[in-house]
Each structure stands twice: as C-alpha cells, then as structure tokens.
Amino acid sequence: MSLHHRMMLHRYGLGNSTSLYSTVLFDPIFTPLFTAVFGAAGITIGATTISFASIASAIAVTALSIGIQMLLAPKPPKAEDGKAPISQSIPYRIYAVGRTRLSGARMLWEAVGADLFSVQALTGHRIKSINRYWLHDDEVTLAGDRVNGLSSGRYSKGAAHVDIYTRLGLPTETAYSAVVAKLASQDIWTSAHRGDGQSSIAMIAHNASAKDQQSAFPYGPPSPSVEGDWAYVWDYRDPAQSPTNPNTWAWTRNCALIIAWHLCFNEFGFRLDYQKALLPVIDLWKEEADICDEPVALNGGGTEPRYECNGWDTAENGPKSGLNAMLSACDGHLVSRGDGARILTVGKFRESRCATLTDADIVGHQIQYDVLFEEEINRLIPKFTYPDTNYTTTDTDFFEDGAAQLESGRVLAEEANYQWVHRWRQARRLGKRDWLRLREKVKGSIDVRLSGLNAIYSRWIIMDTPGRLPRLNGKIMENRRSVLALTSGGFSMDVIKSPDNIDLWTPSIDEGQQPPVPGTPNSAGIVTPVINLVQSQANGGSVYIRVIIIDPADASLTPVVRYRIADIGSGVPGAWVEQEFTDAAASGGYINLNTNTVPVDKLLDIEVAFKGSDGTYSNWSPSESVLSTADPTPPGVVISVTKTGGSGQVTVNWVAPNSANYAGARLYWNTVNTFGSATAVSPPEYGSPGSACSRTFPLSAGTRYAWVVALNRSGIASTEVATGSFTVT
C-alpha cells in the first residue's frame, strides 16, 4: 500500500467528514506532520529529517509561571546563586542574557606565597561589558585594575590589595599576564590558558600583615562577582545585522530577540536552523519584537519597554529551562510548526493571532467551569529579580479577591515566578495577566480533529460551538499547550478562558507600590539611592532628564545624577557626566531631580548616588535607560492615502504632511478594522515633508485593513489614517 493511500485511510478514519478532506490533506503545514508520523522513520524536507519523536512532543507551549507544572519544570538557578562562584571539578558552562549579576565557575583557586589567585569562567560566549564589581556583598570600584579600598580599610589595609581583570570572551582571547607571570613557572597557569570564547574574571588578592589581615579581609578570601551586559544577539529587524556574522549583532534585553537567539544561535540552546525556524515567519517575529519594545506609560510620567528579559542558566539544565524563563518574562506562547518553523506570540491580544474552532472540528472535550477548593487561588504574589537589592528575589504588591477570601475563610495564596524579569512594574503587568486568567476558572482540554490544525497553531481560539459547547460559544479560549494525540482524534489542546480585559492596564491603579529596599550602607555609611522613575523631558528643542528617587530621610546627603550615552559606536558606551543637586528637597517621600540638558535622541544610562558632607560617595544605583526624546510634538497626518491589494502583497501610497518635524511614517495592518490590535510593519518608511511616498509589503490572502501613521524624528506618532478594506489574493 502506498504512503499516499495510507494517508488517505488514516485521514478518513480520523476526520469523519469527507467535506474536510481536501483542505487538510493538502495543507502545506499539515502534510509534513502527517507523513512524519506514518512514514517508516520520518520525512525529509530539504536536508532535514523530521522524526516521529520530534513531532510527538508539544506543538504549542505557553510559559509556566504558576502552579504544580511550574514547580515540576526545570528552572534556572535563582538570582541569589549568582553571588557565589560554582565550585565543581568539571563545572557546567553558563550563558547569560540582558543585564544581571554573575560570579561564574572557578577555573583556578591557588595560593602562592602572599597571593591568592582566582580565575572564574563567566559565560561560554562573547559578552558586551562588565559594569559593576562585588567582593562578597561589598560593591567596589576599580582604579585601573586595582580595587579601591573601602574607608574601613577593607581590601586595602596595610600591604593588602586586590587586583581584578576581565575578559569579554573574544574568539581568540588573551591570557591573564599577571597570573601567568606568577604561576607559569610552576606549570599551574600558562600563556596557553587563554579561554577563547569564554568571558571570565581574574583576581589576585595580596595578604596584609598579621595585625592587619582581619581588617583587610574580615570575611576571609574575597569572592568576586560582577554585573554584566551579556550576550550579543541578532536583531532581525536591523538590515545591517547578519545572522551569519555575530560581529554585527547587538546587545539587547528584548524578549523576542533573546528567544530567537536561544532557539537558533545559543551554543547551549536548541541550535535550530534559523533558515527553517525563523526566516519563513520572520515578519511574525518582527511583530513580536516590536511589541516587546512598545513603550508602556508609567504612573507619574515616562515609559518603559513592555517586555524585557535578563538572566543566566547553566548547560546542566538543558535548553527548556532557559526557554521557559524567557517565555515567562513576556507571557510568551511558542509554536513548533510542521515545517520546522517556530512562531512566537507575546502577551498582547490580537485578532490576527486568533483561529476558529467549530463543532465539526472537535472530537471530545473535558471542560471545568469552576475549580475545586484545594485548587482555589484568591491571592497571587508576583516574584521577580530586583537589581536594587543586589539581585535578589523580591515580591511585588499582590493581587487578591477579598470576597473570595471571605467565602473560603482563608487566604489561598500562590506565587508567580518571573525570575528573569528585573522591573517591578513589568512583574506587576505579567502578574495581572495571570491573575485575570486564574479568576476566569474555565479551563480544560479539547480533542481536535485534523481539520482544526490552524487552531492548534494559534494562541487564541474563537469558539463557534453552539452544539457541542454552547456555554463557550462566541468566547475566546487561550491555547496553553497542544500535542499530537492520534488516539484522541488528531490533537489534544489544553485551554483556559481568555479574559475580555486582559490587556487593560491603568498605571495609577495597577502599578501598586515600589517594593521596599532595605537601606544597606556602604563602608562610608551612606545608603544607595533607589530610583523610582526616570523620564525624558523636552524643552524648546533641548532635552533634560527627570529623575525621581526615594527620600533617604537624611538632609545631610546630596544627590548626584550621572548619565552617559549607552552606545557611541560599536557597542561602546560614552563617558559619564555627573551633576550634583545641593538644593534638592524632598516632597511626599520622594526627591525630584532635573538634570541639565543632555544629548538629544540618544539612549542614555542613568545612575544616582548620594554624596556625604565629607565628600564620600554611596554606591551608584543600578542603571536605568531612557531615550532622550527631543521632539514630543507629533507631525501632521498623512494625506491622499490609497491602497492596491495584489497577489500576496499590498501597495500603500500617501503624501507626507507639510510639517517641518515630519521624518517618516509607519504602516500597520490587521484582519479586522481595528487599529488598536494592528500589526506594525518594520522598519518605518522615511521621507521628507510634502513628499509622495509608497510602500509594498507582503500579506496573507483575505480581506485586510491598513493604516499610515506619521512620525517625527523622535518617533512620536500622529493620528493614524486608515486605507479602508482591500483584498489580498
């Protein structure tokens, strides 16, 4: 019997409807799935064989951050684990993304004479920079390679001193000459110990005299750790970056970009072929990256990116561990398509990511419309990693249902783990999304025929089920996990009801309070400032930065703000520029600081310190990033908008407004006539005021809608102008 004949028989047996035959059997996504299952060993697509084992795994998965499934899933090390180096005979290698604290694994720990030598492997890949240094829990600064001793004499009492050296993990690295000079003659550490492709930190600690040793090293041998900007990743939205040339990549905290790197380019990730996993659906990935970068308004002013990701993991845990942490940071949903492509959908509802399930598509179901008492949750506590407490796990304000607590007679709390999230407001946004899902309580599983394949690949499902599931008819369910299950009719899909208001976010109500930061003085006895808000403010073409810090309740301390351009070229940051605020006054528990003018339309790093009356400084706060937007005024709207639908594409024409501050326009499209959930087309189309502009971009077949939005040089948008409906064939 031929393979095609067997496919037909299985299809008829599972589908139970000849009306669905041709659509599914010849579906370009379905066919490789089907033949992989029923072929002898697999099916070859190009040079890749898809095996049954790979198909039988989850087709669609959503981040696990709550409940028993999360507890059983592999997890990266806790943030606190990054403070002390791993000591193993053969340690697992480490990868890290975004910005976080890490101490790595010891490669050398040797005492010779009065010196202690330590070399620690940080990551098994090239990194951008090392930003901050700690010895034990003391944050220290360097003068060259020498640690500046603390005012108490720690690390510098008498003859004691500590030197620190770093390497960024270049393909061909340089050995630590200071270590080689002392240890090469004993064949302990030679010039051959370069650590190619391995970022690392080396330390040489010199003993003090016997009477000063306890003052210089009260906690014993120093244990170094660092904060770094870690992996470079490929930004597929930037034409100047090449997936085959890592030297063109950039550092980022964008969740979608980091997930793509982990799937295809991370040596300790899944190592998928990006040409199969990303390129066939690259426009969808660009959409998700843009959503991660979307500015979310903050209570009090300013914005922050919607979803950022920072964290580290070891090769001991396998790539799924880091992937789940990345997905949790953006409420992500990842699909493994039959042709090898991966489709990511981050946490923002869009009708373009919906599919429909009908009564004819469903074989069976098991839906519960409430939960058992032991499964009830009436309080959700979001947890995240807080840089202001030196990278420890911290709670945000919780979400709770007081009426449900009275009814149950007690608080039934659950934690939501977002350990690769470093912004407390982001943790609250993610927590609210999970909280709203939990309170819906409608969940279960649906057995789907092969005719419902499109729903398997979609995150949200519109239920057209007046006969089989009338209570859910017209409702939107979220696809939490889907697997191939031939004995159940085709696929098994775990679902949960999607709240109607899941994207509703009111900063003044939903942000809650900033988590408290214990006042931990440095050796000078001065506490580190805690930043509440950083905001760019335009003023007549120039820009200044508004920084709000929590009042330390000590009038003797003078706040000092410093900034630098994050990238002056080739990923190198600019020099720090400091400004003191001797007349700063507290109001309502906060201190408002407005800087002098700063460079315009640049991404800036902002830090704050306190200066004591004797001239000593506190530690600098963790960096905050802000774009110095020079022009907050939107340009005029575009005019003379026309559109022409074609085969797999649309062409949109418009005339730019005669606004002096017009810089370009961004296009959006949707499957419904709703701009709020429209998909952005990247990059913008730049042009001059009053010019005739045109843009052609690919779209799938069907009735579509588009909009054109004018932008100024700072990216501030005008009101959108609709094209009206058009047809793509």
Side-chain angles (χ1 to χ4, degrees):
M1 184 184 298
S2 70
L3 175 62
H4 182 74
H5 194 185
R6 281 186 286 146
M7 289 171 57
M8 292 174 61
L9 291 178
H10 282 289
R11 170 66 190 93
Y12 291 144
L14 294 172
N16 297 316
S17 173
T18 56
S19 65
L20 301 176
Y21 173 75
S22 60
T23 302
V24 178
L25 180 59
F26 301 108
D27 189 297
I29 298 175
F30 164 76
T31 300
L33 273 173
F34 197 90
T35 51
V37 172
F38 296 108
I43 183 171
T44 300
I45 302 177
T48 302
T49 298
I50 302 178
S51 66
F52 176 81
S54 65
I55 298 299
S57 61
I59 296 169
V61 293
T62 308
L64 297 175
S65 55
I66 301 171
I68 295 177
Q69 284 184 318
M70 184 274 293
L71 295 176
L72 297 177
K75 290 178 286 295
K78 293 183 178 180
E80 293 84 350
D81 296 339
K83 295 183 177 182
I86 300 169
S87 296
Q88 294 177 236
S89 56
I90 305 179
Y92 291 93
R93 296 177 73 187
I94 297 170
Y95 65 91
V97 296
R99 175 181 295 163
T100 192
R101 182 175 175 181
L102 183 60
S103 58
R106 283 202 174 107
M107 296 188 291
L108 174 69
W109 183 258
E110 191 75 32
V112 176
D115 293 321
L116 172 67
F117 299 89
S118 171
V119 179
Q120 292 162 212
L122 296 174
T123 64
H125 54 78
R126 185 170 67 106
I127 67 172
K128 177 178 179 286
S129 64
I130 300 295
N131 306 327
R132 302 164 67 190
Y133 303 85
W134 286 267
L135 294 176
H136 301 296
D137 272 337
D138 294 323
E139 185 173 358
V140 297
T141 58
L142 304 183
D145 298 321
R146 181 67 49 89
V147 170
N148 294 315
L150 306 185
S151 57
S152 62
R154 198 176 304 165
Y155 313 122
S156 62
K157 185 75 170 180
H161 60 263
V162 179
D163 295 331
I164 292 179
Y165 313 88
T166 58
R167 297 290 184 266
L168 300 182
L170 299 177
T172 302
E173 264 300 355
T174 305
Y176 290 109
S177 57
V179 179
V180 171
K182 295 291 185 71
L183 301 182
S185 61
Q186 303 178 50
D187 203 28
I188 297 174
W189 198 266
T190 70
S191 58
H193 292 81
R194 297 195 309 260
D196 295 346
Q198 176 78 53
S199 67
S200 60
I201 178 173
M203 178 193 71
I204 302 177
H206 187 79
N207 283 338
S209 61
K211 66 182 181 65
D212 294 330
Q213 184 72 5
Q214 187 60 33
S215 298
F217 302 108
Y219 308 126
S223 179
S225 60
V226 298
E227 175 201 85
D229 289 349
W230 302 107
Y232 286 98
V233 307
W234 175 44
D235 187 341
Y236 36 77
R237 302 170 298 176
D238 183 359
Q241 297 188 31
S242 168
T244 59
N245 183 6
N247 291 325
T248 64
W249 298 356
W251 175 81
T252 185
R253 295 193 246 192
N254 182 291
C255 283
L257 301 181
I258 288 173
I259 291 172
W261 172 81
H262 186 58
L263 290 175
C264 299
F265 303 101
N266 181 10
E267 182 180 345
F268 316 104
F270 292 86
R271 302 295 291 173
L272 304 177
D273 182 350
Y274 76 94
Q275 297 182 75
K276 293 184 176 68
L278 301 180
L279 293 189
V281 288
I282 196 65
D283 288 337
L284 299 179
W285 280 89
K286 289 178 180 179
E287 177 184 345
E288 303 314 295
D290 288 343
I291 290 174
C292 290
D293 281 340
E294 279 181 353
V296 177
L298 307 180
N299 184 29
T303 63
E304 71 177 22
R306 184 182 295 273
Y307 295 126
E308 289 187 342
C309 178
N310 310 267
W312 65 278
D313 198 1
T314 74
E316 177 181 13
N317 294 320
K320 287 185 179 180
S321 169
L323 177 62
N324 185 63
M326 296 170 190
L327 292 174
S328 295
C330 61
D331 189 23
H333 174 270
L334 188 66
V335 167
S336 304
R337 207 169 68 174
D339 59 356
R342 300 298 190 269
I343 302 173
L344 173 70
T345 305
V346 300
K348 180 183 178 182
F349 178 79
R350 286 146 285 160
E351 291 193 34
S352 61
R353 297 301 178 96
C354 292
T356 300
L357 271 182
T358 68
D359 286 330
D361 298 321
I362 300 176
V363 179
H365 67 273
Q366 184 178 6
I367 302 294
Q368 62 182 59
Y369 295 90
D370 205 341
V371 298
L372 298 173
F373 178 77
E374 57 266 24
E375 297 177 0
E376 176 78 20
I377 298 174
N378 53 40
R379 174 180 290 177
L380 184 68
I381 308 168
K383 287 181 170 288
F384 74 111
T385 298
Y386 202 13
D388 284 312
T389 56
N390 285 336
Y391 294 96
T392 61
T393 302
T394 307
D395 300 346
T396 71
D397 286 352
F398 47 75
F399 298 91
E400 64 179 349
D401 186 336
Q405 291 173 2
L406 290 174
E407 183 178 350
S408 63
R410 60 175 177 166
V411 174
L412 300 169
E414 185 70 79
E415 295 179 352
N417 183 19
Y418 312 115
Q419 68 182 94
W420 282 23
V421 171
H422 286 185
R423 294 183 183 270
W424 61 274
R425 295 178 176 95
Q426 180 180 339
R428 283 278 297 178
R429 291 195 296 274
L430 292 165
K432 183 178 180 182
R433 297 180 68 87
D434 279 327
W435 171 247
L436 292 176
R437 290 192 194 97
L438 289 171
R439 300 314 296 165
E440 287 288 347
K441 299 185 180 180
V442 180
K443 61 182 179 180
S445 63
I446 300 175
D447 297 327
V448 182
R449 286 191 175 98
L450 299 176
S451 60
L453 182 66
N454 287 337
I456 297 299
Y457 288 110
S458 300
R459 177 163 189 176
W460 292 283
I461 314 299
I462 300 173
M463 304 296 290
D464 182 11
T465 54
R468 180 178 284 275
L469 291 167
R471 292 178 63 178
L472 297 181
N473 186 42
K475 303 297 184 182
I476 296 176
M477 304 296 287
E478 185 173 346
N479 176 5
R480 301 294 289 178
R481 183 174 184 268
S482 294
V483 297
L484 189 68
L486 295 178
T487 58
S488 298
F491 305 95
S492 178
M493 178 195 299
D494 295 337
V495 295
I496 187 169
K497 187 176 181 298
S498 180
D500 296 334
N501 58 343
I502 192 168
D503 287 318
L504 179 63
W505 179 259
T506 306
S508 59
I509 299 173
D510 296 326
E511 268 191 14
Q513 295 294 316
Q514 183 172 5
V517 179
T520 305
N522 64 353
S523 61
I526 305 176
V527 297
T528 304
V530 177
I531 296 177
N532 175 264
L533 182 70
V534 175
Q535 184 182 15
S536 172
Q537 297 278 7
N539 183 21
S542 61
V543 181
Y544 66 92
I545 302 300
R546 175 188 178 214
V547 183
I548 299 178
I549 61 174
I550 295 178
D551 179 16
D554 186 346
S556 68
L557 299 179
T558 300
V560 181
V561 175
R562 70 179 185 180
Y563 72 86
R564 68 179 180 184
I565 299 176
D567 186 354
I568 59 175
S570 302
V572 178
W576 289 106
V577 178
E578 292 187 14
Q579 181 181 349
E580 292 187 19
F581 294 84
T582 56
D583 57 351
S587 176
Y590 298 95
I591 299 177
N592 193 352
L593 309 171
N594 295 319
T595 70
N596 297 327
T597 58
V598 299
V600 301
D601 294 327
K602 299 290 185 181
L603 184 64
L604 304 178
D605 293 330
I606 309 294
E607 296 182 358
V608 186
F610 286 129
K611 184 178 180 180
S613 54
D614 60 353
T616 56
Y617 278 69
S618 72
N619 294 333
W620 290 96
S621 68
S623 293
E624 294 283 346
S625 298
V626 64
L627 183 64
S628 56
T629 303
D631 185 1
T633 304
V637 298
V638 301
I639 59 175
S640 303
V641 176
T642 63
K643 80 286 185 184
T644 304
S647 177
Q649 65 182 29
V650 64
T651 299
V652 180
N653 299 284
W654 69 95
V655 175
N658 286 315
S659 301
N661 66 340
Y662 174 83
R666 183 181 288 278
L667 280 74
Y668 295 80
W669 71 275
N670 207 344
T671 56
V672 294
N673 194 17
T674 304
F675 177 72
S677 60
T679 298
V681 179
S682 295
E685 189 72 26
Y686 297 102
S688 57
S691 61
C693 305
S694 179
R695 178 71 171 270
T696 299
F697 57 94
L699 280 180
S700 56
T703 300
R704 301 289 182 257
Y705 303 82
W707 294 263
V708 185
V709 179
L711 305 172
N712 69 14
R713 64 170 179 157
S714 296
I716 303 301
S718 68
T719 304
E720 71 277 2
V721 177
T723 65
S725 65
F726 54 89
T727 300
V728 177
T729 59

